[in-house]
Amino acid sequence: MASIIESGWQYLITHFSDFQLACLGSFFLHESIFFLSGLPFIYLERAGWLSKYKIQTKNNSPAAQEKCITRLILYHFGVNLPVMIFSYPVFTYMGMRSSLPLPSWKVILTQIIFYFILEDFVFYWGHRVLHTKWLYKHVHSVHHEYATPFGLTSEYAHPAEILFLGFATIVGPAITGPHLITLWLWMVLRVLETVEAHCGYHFPWSLSNFLPLYGGADFHDYHHRLLYTKSGNYSSTFTYMDWIFGTDKGYRKLKELKKSGVDEDSKEK
């Protein structure tokens, strides 16, 4: 397997420049993973399939879904791609490379774990700041237009928020200067995580059922369907930051009531 990956990587670095791979390659990879993982949830919602796993009974209209897709394409080309291009010198200055040999799996795993921990810490505080009155009204309310989230709403946000919270995702790689393959793997995992958190479904096979402290869709869906002043659950991937600072108390109380047989919707009201 290692030789196959190295052969494929050799082809890429032979036929494309570092700039093309780091900027255009990263953008293409992001778009592919994001839309391929997010679009199925639109069709699940429209067709009513697997509805017993849907967290909220409400559905988004086709017009609302199409609006989300249109805005996403605009933001991705107008914000994400320029950020990738202009941040390229920073990453190369910090040591990012694409040449062989590829890093060992231990190095890749260690760096990605570090990125998840750092991202969660930075994202938590940035997200809490966005829930202050002025910033919520003028910036973060765009993301909360969808009280019933679906996978693609994970990146639906005001351009200022894309830059502000996007910092949490790139700060780890920016300060460590990883190999490009590590950066790509981190990007894929982060996209899949945030799409799952916004998917609107809690399946028996959801990662949150097996991985301690992992938030997942049920944890983040609670954040979307409450008023901004009472939402809590500000973390991105894991739940420990909300637990430490007590911003998940409402969610935990609701889960306890649900276990006791109290109707969840009546308590939210």
Side-chain angles (χ1 to χ4, degrees):
M1 178 61 73
S3 61
I4 295 175
I5 295 174
E6 287 189 355
S7 298
W9 197 261
Q10 180 65 56
Y11 177 86
L12 288 176
I13 62 177
T14 301
H15 292 82
F16 301 97
S17 67
D18 284 355
F19 176 81
Q20 289 172 325
L21 290 173
C23 298
L24 302 181
S26 297
F27 182 74
F28 176 77
L29 179 63
H30 172 273
E31 298 302 289
S32 300
I33 298 299
F34 177 70
F35 283 104
L36 287 175
S37 62
L39 282 172
F41 292 106
I42 286 182
Y43 298 110
L44 282 179
E45 190 174 273
R46 289 187 181 185
W49 298 335
L50 301 178
S51 58
K52 66 179 180 178
Y53 301 123
K54 198 169 185 301
I55 299 169
Q56 297 187 50
T57 57
K58 295 177 290 184
N59 289 327
N60 293 281
S61 68
Q65 294 171 337
E66 290 162 10
K67 173 189 174 183
C68 177
I69 295 173
T70 302
R71 293 281 182 89
L72 282 170
I73 294 172
L74 177 63
Y75 293 156
H76 285 180
F77 278 93
V79 181
N80 292 20
L81 181 57
V83 167
M84 290 180 180
I85 293 173
F86 286 110
S87 62
Y88 173 73
V90 176
F91 279 87
T92 54
Y93 176 78
M94 296 304 295
M96 186 184 72
R97 65 181 180 87
S98 60
S99 58
L100 291 172
L102 297 176
S104 69
W105 68 267
K106 291 182 181 179
V107 171
I108 293 175
L109 182 61
T110 300
Q111 289 183 332
I112 288 180
I113 290 174
F114 171 69
Y115 299 159
F116 268 114
I117 294 172
L118 181 61
E119 192 276 341
D120 227 38
F121 178 83
V122 176
F123 184 97
Y124 174 86
W125 291 111
H127 196 185
R128 281 193 69 171
V129 168
L130 286 174
H131 274 265
T132 55
K133 187 174 182 179
W134 190 92
L135 283 174
Y136 183 89
K137 178 180 179 180
H138 296 282
V139 178
H140 194 48
S141 58
V142 174
H143 181 65
H144 279 268
E145 286 179 20
Y146 294 90
T148 306
F150 52 94
L152 295 182
T153 60
S154 57
E155 295 192 5
Y156 180 87
H158 190 287
E161 178 176 340
I162 295 173
L163 295 173
F164 184 58
L165 288 185
F167 174 76
T169 301
I170 67 172
V171 63
I175 63 178
T176 59
H179 192 282
L180 183 58
I181 198 170
T182 305
L183 182 63
W184 281 3
L185 182 57
W186 160 239
M187 181 170 60
V188 168
L189 293 175
R190 182 71 182 98
V191 168
L192 292 176
E193 180 277 322
T194 191
V195 167
E196 194 270 338
H198 288 81
C199 75
Y201 290 81
H202 184 69
F203 302 111
W205 56 86
S206 294
L207 195 58
S208 57
N209 293 327
F210 308 100
L211 185 61
L213 301 179
Y214 184 84
D218 189 61
F219 184 82
H220 193 69
D221 199 277
Y222 174 87
H223 174 82
H224 270 265
R225 64 184 188 263
L226 263 68
L227 293 173
Y228 82 95
T229 54
K230 301 179 180 179
S231 56
N233 290 20
Y234 300 114
S235 300
S236 59
T237 304
F238 301 103
T239 62
Y240 64 90
M241 289 292 291
D242 281 288
W243 179 79
I244 291 172
F245 294 100
T247 46
D248 66 343
K249 289 180 179 179
Y251 172 75
R252 286 190 281 118
K253 182 178 180 180
L254 192 61
K255 298 300 287 184
E256 291 172 2
L257 291 171
K258 189 176 181 182
K259 287 180 180 179
S260 302
V262 178
D263 180 69
E264 184 173 347
D265 290 332
S266 66
K267 285 297 176 183
E268 286 176 14
K269 293 174 183 177

